[in-house]
Amino acid sequence: MERILYVSDLDGTLLRPNETISSQTCDIMNRLIGEGMTFSYATARSSVTSKKVTEGLQAAFPIIVHNGVFIVDNRTGKRLRANLFTDEQKADIFSVLEQFSIAPLVYSLLSGEEKFSYVTNMLSRSALEFLPSRKGDPRSHPVSEAGRLREGQAYYFTCLDREEKLLPAYEQLKGRYYCTYQMDIYTGEPWLEIMPPTASKANAVLQLKDLLCCDRVVAFGDAVNDVTMFQIADECYAVGNACEELKQIATEIIGRNEQDGVAKWLLENARFPGRR
């Protein structure tokens, strides 16, 4: 039997609208993984926050975080694959963001540790409203002036601001880097995320497919940052609450996230050696 990698987005897909994973989804997923299903998730979240929202999911598998920047061992936290910006790319991005007076959250490796840096008094209203959701996060790294945002090995830029600033920056950057521009599913605020050109959910899924010696990929998602993952998958399923762009390219539309759509589909359809 072919070995299939089943990979799901988290927010809006495997998670409920309140950013939690249901007990029914946990029970189904833990049962299938225990029986031998090869599963991972691919998320824009970090490994820190994704572990929090998937509490109860007993899974010792590599995960894809930061939209494909890293593949991380979910047990040890070790980075198995990393896609980082070069110094030249980082300087180019800062130049564009400064042109539109956008103050980013800059995710970087500082002495090998993941941190997100920001200048508090430069942030937009929406960025300041986002920060409390990361209260107590050991990666939080406020700095005193903008020059310090350039320290370390950058791998991810998050920009929260007004559409009239973010959209033109996105138009300039999207041809050179892997960028997503969308409205946050929880707040409705516009987000611009900028990643290295080698980083995407699609590339990371293909890397993980090779790492785990799988033959096929079956993907699940809900948003525009799942499009590339759907494009490389052998089968792709959009949850009922997904955006229209994703539904248009999906193999099929399944149940909504609040209805445990992914877990129920897997319970009925997942194929793997040894399944009872």
Side-chain angles (χ1 to χ4, degrees), residues 80-193:
L80 305 177
R81 297 285 188 278
N83 297 281
L84 307 173
F85 288 110
T86 66
D87 289 342
E88 293 78 11
Q89 290 170 337
K90 182 168 64 173
D92 180 42
I93 292 166
F94 274 114
S95 176
V96 173
L97 297 182
E98 288 166 1
Q99 178 184 344
F100 295 100
S101 301
I102 298 169
L105 304 176
V106 184
Y107 291 74
S108 305
L109 296 179
L110 298 174
S111 300
E113 294 187 2
E114 294 181 30
K115 299 290 182 181
F116 62 89
S117 303
Y118 52 92
V119 183
T120 304
N121 62 10
M122 295 178 64
L123 292 176
S124 67
R125 172 196 55 79
S126 51
L128 288 171
E129 291 175 351
F130 166 78
L131 284 179
S133 71
R134 297 297 181 263
K135 185 178 181 180
D137 193 319
R139 299 169 302 146
S140 181
H141 185 245
V143 296
S144 56
E145 49 92 17
R148 295 198 57 197
L149 296 175
R150 299 173 183 252
E151 296 173 349
Q153 296 175 284
Y155 58 84
Y156 199 87
F157 287 76
T158 295
C159 307
L160 298 88
D161 213 313
R162 301 192 308 274
E163 183 173 22
E164 57 264 33
K165 296 168 69 173
L166 297 183
L167 194 52
Y170 167 70
E171 293 296 334
Q172 282 202 31
L173 292 166
K174 68 179 182 180
R176 306 199 289 272
Y177 308 102
Y178 177 58
C179 301
T180 63
Y181 175 77
Q182 58 188 333
M183 301 301 169
D184 181 70
I185 64 172
Y186 300 114
T187 67
E189 298 279 358
W191 280 57
L192 170 61
E193 296 169 298

